[in-house]
Amino acid sequence: MAEALAVAHIKSTFNNCIVTITDKQGNKICGSSAGSTGNKGSRKGTPHAASTAARAAGTVAKEKGYSSLEVKVSGAGAGKDSAVRELSSVGFLIQS
C-alpha cells in the first residue's frame, strides 16, 4: 500500500491548467491537464476545465491508496480555486 500523503502541484495559466500529483520525494504518481480531459481551445483556461483535470488526476491517486494532499498552486489562471475544491470533493484531506 502506498503512503497516505502526496503533493498536488497545480499550474493554472490563462490557456491551460496542469495538475500533477507526486509523492513526498517528487516522484510523479499521476497527472492530467485541461487539454487531456477533452477541452479544446479557449475552454482549457476555464475553472470547469481545471476541475475536470483535478478530478482525473485525483481519481488515479485515490486508486493508488493516497488519502491526503499538500497542495502547491502556481500561475495566474482562473482555475486554481476550483481545482483545489475538486481535489477535496474527490475525497482527499487537504493538509496545506
Side-chain angles (χ1 to χ4, degrees):
M1 172 122 173
E3 65 184 9
L5 183 64
V7 181
H9 303 272
I10 300 171
K11 181 174 172 99
S12 178
T13 66
F14 294 117
N15 296 320
N16 205 354
C17 181
I18 301 168
V19 180
T20 306
I21 299 178
T22 64
D23 60 10
K24 290 295 285 183
Q25 289 77 32
N27 301 314
K28 183 178 176 182
I29 298 166
C30 59
S32 183
S33 70
S36 70
T37 58
N39 296 293
K40 302 289 183 191
S42 62
R43 289 179 293 193
K44 291 191 299 185
T46 63
H48 177 266
S51 66
T52 57
R55 177 175 291 276
T59 303
V60 173
K62 266 302 216 192
E63 290 172 356
K64 292 187 178 184
Y66 291 89
S67 60
S68 62
L69 290 175
E70 286 183 13
V71 180
K72 296 184 179 183
V73 181
S74 65
K80 297 181 288 193
D81 294 332
S82 64
V84 174
R85 279 193 302 267
E86 191 65 35
L87 286 172
S88 178
S89 72
V90 168
F92 285 105
L93 175 65
I94 305 297
Q95 296 287 330
S96 64

Coordinates of all heavy atoms in Angstrom, one line a residue:
M1 N 0.8 -1.2 0.0 CA 0.0 0.0 0.0 C 0.9 1.2 0.0 O 1.9 1.3 0.7 CB -0.9 0.0 1.2 CG -1.7 1.2 1.4 SD -3.4 0.8 1.5 CE -4.0 2.4 1.9
A2 N 0.5 2.2 -0.8 CA 1.3 3.5 -0.9 C 1.1 4.3 0.4 O 0.1 4.1 1.2 CB 0.8 4.2 -2.1
E3 N 2.0 5.2 0.6 CA 1.9 6.1 1.7 C 0.7 7.0 1.6 O 0.2 7.2 0.5 CB 3.2 6.9 1.9 CG 3.4 7.9 0.8 CD 4.7 8.6 0.9 OE1 5.5 8.3 1.8 OE2 4.9 9.5 0.1
A4 N 0.2 7.6 2.7 CA -1.0 8.4 2.7 C -0.9 9.8 2.2 O -1.8 10.4 1.7 CB -1.6 8.4 4.1
L5 N 0.3 10.4 2.3 CA 0.5 11.8 2.0 C 1.2 12.0 0.6 O 2.2 11.4 0.3 CB 1.3 12.5 3.0 CG 1.5 14.0 2.9 CD1 0.2 14.7 3.0 CD2 2.5 14.5 3.9
A6 N 0.6 12.8 -0.2 CA 1.1 13.2 -1.6 C 1.1 14.7 -1.7 O 0.6 15.4 -0.9 CB 0.3 12.5 -2.7
V7 N 1.7 15.2 -2.8 CA 1.8 16.6 -3.1 C 1.1 16.8 -4.4 O 1.5 16.2 -5.4 CB 3.2 17.1 -3.1 CG1 3.3 18.6 -3.3 CG2 3.9 16.8 -1.8
A8 N 0.1 17.7 -4.5 CA -0.5 18.1 -5.7 C 0.0 19.4 -6.2 O 0.0 20.4 -5.5 CB -2.0 18.2 -5.5
H9 N 0.6 19.5 -7.4 CA 1.1 20.7 -8.0 C 0.1 21.1 -9.0 O -0.1 20.4 -10.0 CB 2.5 20.4 -8.7 CG 3.5 19.8 -7.7 ND1 4.3 20.6 -7.0 CD2 3.8 18.5 -7.4 CE1 5.1 19.8 -6.3 NE2 4.8 18.6 -6.5
I10 N -0.5 22.3 -8.8 CA -1.5 22.9 -9.8 C -0.9 24.1 -10.4 O -0.5 25.0 -9.8 CB -2.8 23.2 -9.0 CG1 -3.4 22.0 -8.4 CG2 -3.8 23.9 -10.0 CD1 -4.5 22.3 -7.4
K11 N -0.7 24.0 -11.7 CA -0.2 25.2 -12.5 C -1.4 25.6 -13.4 O -1.8 24.9 -14.3 CB 1.0 24.8 -13.4 CG 1.5 26.0 -14.1 CD 2.8 25.6 -14.9 CE 3.1 26.8 -15.8 NZ 4.1 27.6 -15.3
S12 N -1.9 26.8 -13.1 CA -3.0 27.3 -13.8 C -2.6 28.6 -14.6 O -2.2 29.6 -14.0 CB -4.1 27.7 -12.8 OG -5.2 28.3 -13.4
T13 N -2.7 28.5 -15.9 CA -2.3 29.6 -16.7 C -3.6 30.1 -17.4 O -4.7 29.6 -17.2 CB -1.3 29.3 -17.8 OG1 -1.9 28.3 -18.7 CG2 -0.1 28.7 -17.2
F14 N -3.5 31.2 -18.2 CA -4.7 31.7 -18.9 C -5.1 30.7 -20.0 O -6.3 30.8 -20.4 CB -4.4 33.1 -19.4 CG -4.2 34.1 -18.4 CD1 -3.0 34.8 -18.3 CD2 -5.2 34.4 -17.5 CE1 -2.8 35.7 -17.3 CE2 -5.0 35.4 -16.5 CZ -3.8 36.0 -16.4
N15 N -4.2 29.8 -20.4 CA -4.5 29.0 -21.6 C -4.8 27.5 -21.2 O -5.3 26.7 -22.0 CB -3.4 29.0 -22.6 CG -3.3 30.4 -23.2 OD1 -4.3 31.0 -23.4 ND2 -2.1 30.8 -23.4
N16 N -4.3 27.1 -20.0 CA -4.4 25.7 -19.6 C -4.3 25.5 -18.1 O -3.9 26.5 -17.4 CB -3.3 24.9 -20.3 CG -3.7 23.4 -20.5 OD1 -4.7 22.9 -20.0 ND2 -2.8 22.7 -21.2
C17 N -4.6 24.3 -17.6 CA -4.4 24.0 -16.2 C -3.8 22.6 -16.1 O -4.3 21.7 -16.7 CB -5.7 24.1 -15.4 SG -5.4 23.7 -13.7
I18 N -2.7 22.5 -15.5 CA -2.0 21.2 -15.4 C -1.9 20.8 -13.9 O -1.5 21.6 -13.0 CB -0.5 21.3 -15.9 CG1 -0.6 21.7 -17.4 CG2 0.2 20.0 -15.8 CD1 0.7 22.1 -17.9
V19 N -2.4 19.6 -13.6 CA -2.4 19.0 -12.2 C -1.5 17.8 -12.2 O -1.7 16.9 -13.0 CB -3.8 18.7 -11.8 CG1 -3.8 18.1 -10.4 CG2 -4.8 19.9 -11.9
T20 N -0.5 17.9 -11.4 CA 0.5 16.7 -11.2 C 0.5 16.4 -9.8 O 0.6 17.2 -8.9 CB 1.9 17.1 -11.7 OG1 1.8 17.7 -13.0 CG2 2.8 15.9 -11.7
I21 N 0.4 15.1 -9.5 CA 0.4 14.6 -8.1 C 1.7 13.8 -8.0 O 1.9 12.8 -8.7 CB -0.9 13.8 -7.8 CG1 -2.1 14.7 -7.9 CG2 -0.7 13.2 -6.3 CD1 -3.4 14.0 -7.6
T22 N 2.5 14.1 -7.0 CA 3.8 13.4 -6.7 C 3.8 12.9 -5.3 O 3.0 13.3 -4.4 CB 5.0 14.4 -6.9 OG1 4.9 15.4 -5.9 CG2 5.0 15.0 -8.3
D23 N 4.7 12.0 -5.0 CA 4.9 11.6 -3.6 C 5.8 12.7 -2.9 O 6.2 13.7 -3.6 CB 5.5 10.2 -3.5 CG 6.9 10.1 -4.2 OD1 7.5 11.1 -4.6 OD2 7.3 8.9 -4.4
K24 N 6.2 12.5 -1.7 CA 6.9 13.5 -0.9 C 8.4 13.7 -1.5 O 8.9 14.7 -1.4 CB 7.0 13.1 0.5 CG 5.7 13.2 1.3 CD 5.3 14.6 1.4 CE 6.1 15.4 2.4 NZ 5.6 16.7 2.6
Q25 N 8.9 12.7 -2.2 CA 10.2 12.8 -2.8 C 10.2 13.5 -4.2 O 11.2 13.8 -4.7 CB 10.9 11.4 -2.9 CG 11.3 10.8 -1.6 CD 10.1 10.2 -0.9 OE1 9.1 9.7 -1.5 NE2 10.1 10.2 0.5
G26 N 9.0 13.7 -4.7 CA 8.9 14.3 -6.0 C 8.7 13.4 -7.2 O 8.7 13.8 -8.3
N27 N 8.5 12.1 -6.9 CA 8.3 11.1 -8.0 C 6.8 11.2 -8.4 O 5.9 11.2 -7.6 CB 8.6 9.7 -7.5 CG 10.0 9.6 -7.1 OD1 10.9 10.0 -7.7 ND2 10.2 9.0 -5.9
K28 N 6.6 11.3 -9.7 CA 5.3 11.5 -10.3 C 4.4 10.3 -10.1 O 4.8 9.2 -10.4 CB 5.3 11.9 -11.7 CG 4.0 12.2 -12.4 CD 4.2 12.6 -13.8 CE 2.8 12.8 -14.5 NZ 3.0 13.1 -15.9
I29 N 3.2 10.5 -9.5 CA 2.2 9.4 -9.3 C 1.3 9.5 -10.5 O 1.0 8.4 -11.1 CB 1.4 9.6 -8.0 CG1 2.4 9.5 -6.8 CG2 0.3 8.6 -7.9 CD1 1.8 10.0 -5.5
C30 N 0.7 10.6 -10.8 CA -0.2 10.8 -11.9 C -0.3 12.3 -12.3 O 0.2 13.1 -11.5 CB -1.5 10.2 -11.6 SG -2.3 11.0 -10.2
G31 N -0.9 12.5 -13.4 CA -1.1 13.9 -13.8 C -2.1 14.0 -14.9 O -2.5 13.0 -15.5
S32 N -2.6 15.2 -15.0 CA -3.7 15.5 -16.0 C -3.6 17.0 -16.4 O -3.2 17.8 -15.6 CB -5.0 15.1 -15.5 OG -6.0 15.3 -16.5
S33 N -4.2 17.3 -17.5 CA -4.3 18.7 -17.9 C -5.7 18.9 -18.5 O -6.4 18.0 -18.8 CB -3.2 19.1 -19.0 OG -3.5 18.4 -20.2
A34 N -6.0 20.2 -18.6 CA -7.4 20.5 -19.1 C -7.5 20.1 -20.6 O -8.6 19.6 -21.0 CB -7.6 22.0 -19.0
G35 N -6.4 20.1 -21.3 CA -6.5 19.6 -22.7 C -6.7 18.1 -22.8 O -7.3 17.6 -23.7
S36 N -6.1 17.4 -21.9 CA -6.2 15.9 -22.0 C -7.5 15.4 -21.5 O -7.9 14.2 -21.8 CB -5.1 15.3 -21.1 OG -5.3 15.5 -19.8
T37 N -8.3 16.2 -20.9 CA -9.7 15.8 -20.5 C -10.8 16.2 -21.5 O -11.9 16.0 -21.2 CB -10.0 16.4 -19.1 OG1 -10.0 17.8 -19.2 CG2 -9.1 15.9 -18.0
G38 N -10.4 16.6 -22.7 CA -11.3 16.8 -23.7 C -11.7 18.3 -24.0 O -12.4 18.6 -24.9
N39 N -11.1 19.2 -23.3 CA -11.4 20.6 -23.5 C -10.5 21.2 -24.6 O -9.3 20.9 -24.6 CB -11.2 21.5 -22.2 CG -12.2 21.0 -21.1 OD1 -13.3 21.2 -21.3 ND2 -11.6 20.4 -20.1
K40 N -11.0 21.9 -25.5 CA -10.3 22.4 -26.6 C -10.3 24.0 -26.6 O -11.2 24.6 -26.2 CB -10.9 22.0 -28.0 CG -11.0 20.5 -28.1 CD -9.6 19.8 -28.3 CE -9.7 18.4 -28.5 NZ -8.5 17.7 -28.4
G41 N -9.2 24.5 -27.2 CA -9.1 26.0 -27.4 C -9.2 26.8 -26.2 O -8.6 26.5 -25.2
S42 N -10.0 27.8 -26.2 CA -10.1 28.8 -25.1 C -10.8 28.2 -23.9 O -10.7 28.7 -22.8 CB -10.8 30.0 -25.5 OG -12.1 29.7 -25.9
R43 N -11.5 27.1 -24.0 CA -12.1 26.4 -22.9 C -11.1 25.8 -21.9 O -11.5 25.5 -20.8 CB -13.1 25.4 -23.3 CG -14.3 26.0 -24.0 CD -15.3 25.0 -24.5 NE -14.6 24.2 -25.5 CZ -15.2 23.4 -26.3 NH1 -16.5 23.1 -26.2 NH2 -14.6 22.8 -27.3
K44 N -9.9 25.6 -22.3 CA -8.9 25.0 -21.5 C -8.5 25.9 -20.3 O -8.0 25.4 -19.3 CB -7.6 24.6 -22.2 CG -7.8 23.5 -23.2 CD -6.5 23.0 -23.8 CE -5.8 24.1 -24.6 NZ -4.6 23.5 -25.2
G45 N -8.7 27.2 -20.4 CA -8.4 28.1 -19.3 C -9.5 28.4 -18.3 O -9.3 29.2 -17.5
T46 N -10.6 27.7 -18.4 CA -11.7 27.9 -17.6 C -11.7 27.2 -16.3 O -11.0 26.1 -16.2 CB -13.0 27.6 -18.3 OG1 -13.1 26.2 -18.5 CG2 -13.2 28.3 -19.6
P47 N -12.4 27.6 -15.2 CA -12.4 26.9 -14.0 C -13.0 25.5 -14.1 O -12.6 24.5 -13.4 CB -13.3 27.7 -13.1 CG -13.1 29.1 -13.6 CD -13.0 28.9 -15.1
H48 N -14.0 25.3 -15.0 CA -14.6 24.0 -15.2 C -13.5 23.0 -15.8 O -13.4 21.8 -15.4 CB -15.7 24.1 -16.2 CG -16.3 22.7 -16.5 ND1 -16.0 22.0 -17.6 CD2 -17.2 22.0 -15.8 CE1 -16.6 20.8 -17.6 NE2 -17.4 20.8 -16.5
A49 N -12.7 23.4 -16.7 CA -11.6 22.6 -17.3 C -10.6 22.2 -16.2 O -10.1 21.1 -16.2 CB -11.0 23.3 -18.4
A50 N -10.3 23.2 -15.3 CA -9.4 22.9 -14.2 C -9.9 21.8 -13.3 O -9.2 21.0 -12.8 CB -9.0 24.2 -13.5
S51 N -11.2 21.9 -13.0 CA -11.8 20.9 -12.1 C -11.9 19.6 -12.7 O -11.7 18.6 -12.0 CB -13.2 21.4 -11.6 OG -14.1 21.4 -12.7
T52 N -12.1 19.5 -14.0 CA -12.1 18.1 -14.6 C -10.7 17.5 -14.7 O -10.5 16.3 -14.5 CB -12.6 18.2 -16.1 OG1 -11.9 19.1 -16.9 CG2 -14.1 18.6 -16.1
A53 N -9.7 18.4 -14.8 CA -8.3 17.9 -14.8 C -7.9 17.4 -13.4 O -7.3 16.4 -13.2 CB -7.3 19.0 -15.2
A54 N -8.4 18.2 -12.4 CA -8.1 17.8 -11.0 C -8.8 16.5 -10.6 O -8.3 15.6 -9.9 CB -8.5 18.9 -10.0
R55 N -10.1 16.3 -11.1 CA -10.8 15.1 -10.8 C -10.1 13.9 -11.4 O -10.0 12.8 -10.8 CB -12.2 15.2 -11.3 CG -13.0 13.9 -11.1 CD -14.5 14.1 -11.5 NE -15.2 15.0 -10.6 CZ -15.7 14.6 -9.4 NH1 -15.6 13.3 -9.0 NH2 -16.4 15.4 -8.7
A56 N -9.6 14.0 -12.7 CA -9.0 12.9 -13.4 C -7.7 12.5 -12.6 O -7.5 11.3 -12.4 CB -8.7 13.3 -14.8
A57 N -6.9 13.5 -12.2 CA -5.6 13.1 -11.5 C -5.9 12.6 -10.1 O -5.3 11.7 -9.6 CB -4.7 14.4 -11.4
G58 N -6.9 13.2 -9.4 CA -7.2 12.8 -8.1 C -7.8 11.4 -8.0 O -7.5 10.7 -7.1
T59 N -8.6 11.0 -9.0 CA -9.2 9.7 -9.0 C -8.1 8.6 -9.1 O -8.1 7.6 -8.4 CB -10.2 9.6 -10.2 OG1 -11.2 10.6 -10.0 CG2 -10.8 8.2 -10.2
V60 N -7.1 8.9 -10.0 CA -6.0 7.9 -10.1 C -5.2 7.8 -8.8 O -4.8 6.7 -8.4 CB -5.1 8.3 -11.3 CG1 -3.9 7.4 -11.4 CG2 -5.9 8.2 -12.6
A61 N -4.9 8.9 -8.2 CA -4.1 8.9 -6.9 C -4.9 8.2 -5.8 O -4.3 7.5 -5.0 CB -3.8 10.3 -6.5
K62 N -6.2 8.4 -5.8 CA -7.1 7.7 -4.8 C -7.0 6.2 -5.0 O -6.9 5.5 -4.0 CB -8.5 8.2 -4.9 CG -8.9 9.3 -4.0 CD -8.7 9.0 -2.6 CE -9.8 9.6 -1.7 NZ -9.4 9.5 -0.3
E63 N -7.0 5.8 -6.2 CA -7.0 4.4 -6.5 C -5.6 3.8 -6.1 O -5.6 2.6 -5.8 CB -7.2 4.1 -8.0 CG -8.6 4.4 -8.5 CD -8.8 4.3 -10.0 OE1 -7.8 4.2 -10.7 OE2 -10.0 4.5 -10.4
K64 N -4.6 4.6 -6.1 CA -3.3 4.1 -5.7 C -3.1 4.1 -4.2 O -2.0 3.8 -3.7 CB -2.2 4.9 -6.4 CG -2.2 4.6 -7.9 CD -1.0 5.3 -8.6 CE -1.0 4.9 -10.0 NZ 0.2 5.4 -10.7
G65 N -4.1 4.6 -3.4 CA -4.0 4.5 -2.0 C -3.7 5.8 -1.2 O -3.5 5.7 0.0
Y66 N -3.6 6.9 -1.9 CA -3.3 8.1 -1.2 C -4.5 8.7 -0.7 O -5.6 8.7 -1.3 CB -2.6 9.1 -2.2 CG -1.2 8.6 -2.6 CD1 -1.0 7.8 -3.7 CD2 -0.1 9.0 -1.8 CE1 0.3 7.4 -4.0 CE2 1.2 8.6 -2.1 CZ 1.4 7.8 -3.2 OH 2.6 7.3 -3.5
S67 N -4.4 9.4 0.5 CA -5.6 9.9 1.2 C -5.5 11.3 1.6 O -6.6 11.9 1.8 CB -5.9 9.0 2.4 OG -4.9 9.1 3.3
S68 N -4.3 11.9 1.6 CA -4.2 13.3 2.0 C -3.2 14.0 1.1 O -2.3 13.4 0.5 CB -3.9 13.5 3.4 OG -2.6 12.9 3.7
L69 N -3.4 15.3 0.9 CA -2.5 16.1 0.0 C -2.0 17.3 0.6 O -2.7 18.0 1.4 CB -3.4 16.5 -1.3 CG -3.8 15.5 -2.3 CD1 -4.7 16.1 -3.3 CD2 -2.6 14.8 -2.9
E70 N -0.8 17.7 0.2 CA -0.3 19.1 0.3 C -0.5 19.7 -1.1 O -0.2 19.0 -2.1 CB 1.1 19.1 0.7 CG 1.5 18.8 2.1 CD 3.0 18.9 2.4 OE1 3.7 19.5 1.6 OE2 3.4 18.4 3.4
V71 N -1.1 20.9 -1.2 CA -1.3 21.5 -2.5 C -0.4 22.7 -2.7 O -0.3 23.5 -1.8 CB -2.8 21.9 -2.5 CG1 -3.1 22.6 -3.9 CG2 -3.7 20.7 -2.3
K72 N 0.3 22.7 -3.8 CA 1.1 23.8 -4.2 C 0.5 24.4 -5.5 O 0.4 23.7 -6.5 CB 2.6 23.3 -4.4 CG 3.2 22.8 -3.2 CD 4.6 22.5 -3.4 CE 5.2 22.0 -2.1 NZ 6.7 21.7 -2.2
V73 N 0.2 25.7 -5.5 CA -0.5 26.3 -6.6 C 0.4 27.4 -7.2 O 1.0 28.1 -6.4 CB -1.8 26.9 -6.1 CG1 -2.6 27.6 -7.2 CG2 -2.7 25.9 -5.4
S74 N 0.4 27.4 -8.5 CA 1.2 28.5 -9.2 C 0.4 28.9 -10.4 O -0.4 28.2 -10.9 CB 2.6 28.0 -9.6 OG 2.5 27.0 -10.5
G75 N 0.7 30.1 -10.9 CA 0.1 30.7 -12.1 C -1.0 31.7 -11.8 O -1.4 31.9 -10.6
A76 N -1.4 32.3 -12.8 CA -2.4 33.4 -12.7 C -3.8 33.1 -13.3 O -4.6 34.0 -13.5 CB -1.8 34.6 -13.4
G77 N -4.0 31.8 -13.6 CA -5.3 31.5 -14.3 C -6.4 31.4 -13.3 O -6.3 31.5 -12.1
A78 N -7.6 31.2 -13.9 CA -8.9 31.2 -13.2 C -9.2 29.9 -12.5 O -10.1 29.8 -11.7 CB -10.0 31.6 -14.1
G79 N -8.4 28.8 -12.8 CA -8.8 27.5 -12.3 C -8.2 27.1 -11.0 O -8.4 25.9 -10.6
K80 N -7.4 27.9 -10.4 CA -6.7 27.4 -9.2 C -7.7 27.0 -8.1 O -7.5 25.9 -7.5 CB -5.8 28.6 -8.6 CG -4.7 29.0 -9.6 CD -3.9 30.1 -9.0 CE -4.7 31.4 -9.0 NZ -3.9 32.5 -8.7
D81 N -8.6 27.8 -7.7 CA -9.5 27.5 -6.6 C -10.4 26.3 -6.9 O -10.7 25.5 -6.1 CB -10.4 28.7 -6.2 CG -9.6 29.9 -5.7 OD1 -8.5 29.6 -5.1 OD2 -10.0 31.0 -5.9
S82 N -10.9 26.3 -8.1 CA -11.8 25.2 -8.5 C -11.1 23.8 -8.5 O -11.7 22.8 -8.2 CB -12.5 25.4 -9.8 OG -11.6 25.5 -10.8
A83 N -9.8 23.9 -8.9 CA -9.0 22.6 -8.8 C -8.8 22.1 -7.4 O -8.9 20.9 -7.2 CB -7.7 22.8 -9.6
V84 N -8.5 23.0 -6.5 CA -8.4 22.6 -5.1 C -9.7 22.1 -4.5 O -9.7 21.1 -3.8 CB -7.8 23.8 -4.3 CG1 -7.8 23.4 -2.8 CG2 -6.4 24.2 -4.7
R85 N -10.8 22.8 -4.8 CA -12.1 22.3 -4.3 C -12.4 20.9 -4.9 O -13.0 20.1 -4.2 CB -13.2 23.3 -4.7 CG -13.3 24.5 -3.8 CD -14.5 25.3 -4.0 NE -14.7 25.7 -5.4 CZ -14.3 26.9 -5.8 NH1 -13.7 27.8 -5.0 NH2 -14.4 27.2 -7.1
E86 N -12.1 20.7 -6.1 CA -12.4 19.4 -6.8 C -11.5 18.3 -6.1 O -12.0 17.2 -5.9 CB -12.1 19.5 -8.3 CG -12.6 18.3 -9.0 CD -14.1 18.2 -9.0 OE1 -14.8 19.2 -9.0 OE2 -14.6 17.0 -9.0
L87 N -10.3 18.5 -5.8 CA -9.5 17.5 -5.1 C -10.1 17.2 -3.8 O -10.1 16.0 -3.3 CB -8.0 18.0 -5.0 CG -7.2 18.0 -6.3 CD1 -5.9 18.7 -6.0 CD2 -7.0 16.6 -6.8
S88 N -10.6 18.2 -3.1 CA -11.3 18.0 -1.8 C -12.5 17.1 -2.0 O -12.8 16.2 -1.2 CB -11.6 19.3 -1.2 OG -12.3 19.1 0.1
S89 N -13.3 17.4 -3.1 CA -14.5 16.7 -3.3 C -14.3 15.2 -3.7 O -15.2 14.4 -3.6 CB -15.4 17.4 -4.3 OG -14.9 17.3 -5.6
V90 N -13.1 14.9 -4.3 CA -12.8 13.6 -4.7 C -12.6 12.7 -3.4 O -12.8 11.5 -3.4 CB -11.5 13.5 -5.5 CG1 -11.0 12.2 -5.7 CG2 -11.8 14.1 -6.9
G91 N -12.3 13.4 -2.3 CA -12.1 12.7 -1.0 C -10.8 12.8 -0.3 O -10.5 12.1 0.6
F92 N -10.0 13.7 -0.8 CA -8.7 14.0 -0.2 C -8.8 14.9 1.0 O -9.6 15.8 1.0 CB -7.7 14.6 -1.2 CG -7.1 13.6 -2.2 CD1 -7.6 13.7 -3.5 CD2 -6.2 12.7 -1.8 CE1 -7.1 12.8 -4.4 CE2 -5.7 11.8 -2.7 CZ -6.1 11.9 -4.0
L93 N -8.0 14.6 2.0 CA -7.8 15.5 3.1 C -6.7 16.5 2.7 O -5.6 16.1 2.5 CB -7.5 14.8 4.4 CG -7.2 15.6 5.6 CD1 -8.4 16.4 6.1 CD2 -6.7 14.8 6.7
I94 N -7.1 17.8 2.6 CA -6.1 18.8 2.2 C -5.3 19.3 3.5 O -5.9 19.9 4.4 CB -6.8 20.0 1.6 CG1 -7.7 19.6 0.4 CG2 -5.7 21.0 1.1 CD1 -6.9 18.9 -0.7
Q95 N -4.0 19.0 3.5 CA -3.2 19.3 4.7 C -2.8 20.8 4.7 O -2.8 21.4 5.7 CB -1.9 18.4 4.7 CG -2.2 16.9 4.9 CD -2.7 16.6 6.3 OE1 -2.3 17.3 7.2 NE2 -3.5 15.6 6.4
S96 N -2.3 21.3 3.5 CA -1.9 22.7 3.5 C -2.0 23.1 2.0 O -2.0 22.3 1.1 CB -0.5 22.8 4.0 OG 0.5 22.1 3.2

